[in-house]
Structures are given as C-alpha cells and as structure tokens.
Amino acid sequence: MTDQSPTLFLVGPGYSASRLAALCLDTGAWRVVGTARSEDKADGLEQDGIAPVLTDDAAGIEQAGEGSHWVISTPPRDEGCPGFALAGAYQDPFVCR
C-alpha cells in the first residue's frame, strides 16, 4: 500500500525549517524530507525523523519534490536562489514574470 501522507520537502532544513518539520512530524500525519550536503548532515536529519536526500542526487531531489509541499529555506546568492537551482525542472512554475 502506498503511503498517502502529505510530504513536506525542505530545501535547506536549517533552524526555522527544522522547527516546522518538528511540528509536522508531531502530528503523525506528515512525511518530511530534507536536503543535505553531506552524509554527516544526512545522519543528523535522520535522527530528527527527516528523510534525507543529498543535494548531488538529482533523481532523489526529483522524487522528493514530486507531489510535495516545498519549503525553500536557503538565503539567496548573487547568482540566484540555490533552492530554485537545485529544483531544476521545478524552477519555472516559481518564477514570477
């Protein structure tokens, strides 16, 4: 049977996004996935109940983002939003024209 729980996808699960993740996980109704730049960070996310996906795993990012509620919690850079850049194929719907 497929898990029908809503999924929260955190791009940049720092302090603020992690607090939101904790609230969602506490309800027991949400699945939470978050990006990690290293295996050590991924281990920390797992300890907090967040399913990690490494930022260099394009297929994992695509899978985590599909049908999920996105929270991008990364500061912008000169070249743009790293969260949008990471999202790749999902970038266009978020661009205001």
Side-chain angles (χ1 to χ4, degrees):
M1 184 165 154
T2 304
D3 183 2
Q4 297 297 314
S5 300
T7 300
L8 182 67
F9 179 40
L10 304 175
V11 179
Y15 180 81
S16 297
S18 293
R19 302 291 64 82
L20 176 60
L23 290 171
C24 289
L25 290 168
D26 285 348
T27 70
W30 285 83
R31 178 175 173 264
V32 180
V33 180
T35 59
R37 290 177 284 164
S38 70
E39 291 291 339
D40 286 342
K41 297 281 186 183
D43 291 344
L45 291 177
E46 278 188 319
Q47 290 175 2
D48 291 337
I50 300 170
V53 61
L54 294 174
T55 54
D56 61 359
D57 178 3
I61 296 292
E62 184 175 344
Q63 182 179 10
E66 186 70 33
S68 297
H69 301 271
W70 288 56
V71 174
I72 297 177
S73 184
T74 56
R77 298 183 184 152
D78 288 340
E79 60 274 6
C81 176
F84 285 164
L86 185 65
Y90 295 96
Q91 183 174 354
D92 287 342
F94 296 108
V95 176
C96 295
R97 296 175 198 244

